[in-house]
Amino acid sequence: MSDYDVFLADCPARSTLELIADTWSVVVVFGLGRGPQRYSDLRDQIGGISNKMLTQTLRKLERNNLVKRRKLATAPTGVEYRLTELGHSLLGPVTVLARWAEEHAEDLAGDDGA
Amino acid sequence: MSDYDVFLADCPARSTLELIADTWSVVVVFGLGRGPQRYSDLRDQIGGISNKMLTQTLRKLERNNLVKRRKLATAPTGVEYRLTELGHSLLGPVTVLARWAEEHAEDLAGDDGA
């Protein structure tokens, strides 16, 4: 058991939840679960993500020790991203959430409340 | 297996993920996992949530068949919320995510990247 509690506004668990309970964070971590990927491959894989949003999401995940960035010694130079050990521990929860979305999309579709 | 894919921008799975990969949705569903609750009890339980945000989140969950609203025949009148069957099916994934946040808050804390 943890002393932290997502019900408390000023608890680190709440800010952690804010980081991970985010569509782009989930999709990026889920995508990197397939293995290390170049920035460009990740962008191509994730439909509808802008360069700005992908960069912001990766930086946020990197700052929080979930993703590791590595410059590739290739020409032209590239950058590769991979999950850290902590990132890998998040892969399970994120996969469960993404799978639920895929399996239950029809149960919610048709009323986006817009 | 589902035909839906969260990597596709225009897939219902993506819009479903956008609905559930949201801090307030997670905390509200997690809170209702303890059982049906009055609006006021839910608000008191969830630190830092405004009336506006709680109402918006509950309406969004209700429109998408995750939460059911019921007027109580009490004086003064009250409103009770409970998870639907679909909402209960989301409780597992949401609990796993919230528990991860509570267990790993210290691993990420100290660099909120603000």
Side-chain angles (χ1 to χ4, degrees):
Chain A
M1 288 299 292
S2 163
D3 290 335
Y4 295 128
D5 187 339
V6 295
F7 288 115
L8 305 179
D10 57 354
C11 181
R14 173 70 69 79
S15 45
T16 300
L17 187 63
E18 282 166 1
L19 172 74
I20 61 176
D22 168 81
T23 305
W24 293 125
S25 296
V26 167
V27 176
V28 167
V29 169
F30 193 41
L32 289 175
R34 299 174 173 183
Q37 290 197 58
R38 280 169 171 262
Y39 179 91
S40 53
D41 293 335
L42 205 49
R43 191 192 52 212
D44 292 346
Q45 183 188 159
I46 302 173
I49 198 165
S50 64
N51 276 317
K52 185 182 173 189
M53 188 51 73
L54 179 55
T55 300
Q56 278 181 359
T57 304
L58 284 166
R59 283 196 186 145
K60 192 177 65 169
L61 295 172
E62 194 186 354
R63 273 197 310 266
N64 285 283
N65 194 27
L66 291 161
V67 160
K68 196 164 172 63
R69 182 179 187 275
R70 188 168 72 100
K71 279 191 186 163
L72 298 172
T74 53
T77 55
V79 179
E80 185 193 73
Y81 291 87
R82 64 171 65 224
L83 294 177
T84 61
E85 193 177 333
L86 185 64
H88 268 287
S89 76
L90 179 58
L91 191 55
V94 153
T95 301
V96 169
L97 203 70
R99 291 279 180 244
W100 189 95
E102 291 176 349
E103 283 165 18
H104 293 279
E106 277 188 347
D107 303 329
L108 291 87
D111 184 0
D112 62 2
Chain B
M1 286 298 292
S2 164
D3 291 337
Y4 295 127
D5 187 339
V6 295
F7 289 116
L8 305 179
D10 56 355
C11 182
R14 173 70 68 79
S15 44
T16 299
L17 187 63
E18 282 166 0
L19 172 74
I20 62 175
D22 167 80
T23 305
W24 293 127
S25 296
V26 167
V27 177
V28 167
V29 170
F30 192 42
L32 289 176
R34 299 174 174 184
Q37 290 196 57
R38 280 169 170 260
Y39 179 90
S40 53
D41 293 336
L42 205 49
R43 191 192 54 212
D44 292 346
Q45 183 187 160
I46 303 173
I49 198 165
S50 64
N51 276 317
K52 185 182 172 188
M53 186 53 74
L54 179 55
T55 300
Q56 278 181 0
T57 303
L58 284 167
R59 284 197 185 145
K60 191 177 68 169
L61 296 172
E62 194 186 354
R63 274 198 309 266
N64 285 283
N65 194 27
L66 290 161
V67 160
K68 197 165 173 60
R69 183 180 187 273
R70 186 169 72 100
K71 278 192 187 164
L72 297 172
T74 52
T77 56
V79 179
E80 185 194 74
Y81 292 88
R82 63 173 64 223
L83 294 177
T84 61
E85 194 177 332
L86 185 63
H88 268 288
S89 78
L90 179 58
L91 190 56
V94 152
T95 301
V96 168
L97 202 71
R99 291 280 180 242
W100 190 95
E102 291 176 349
E103 281 164 20
H104 293 279
E106 276 187 347
D107 303 330
L108 290 87
D111 184 0
D112 62 2

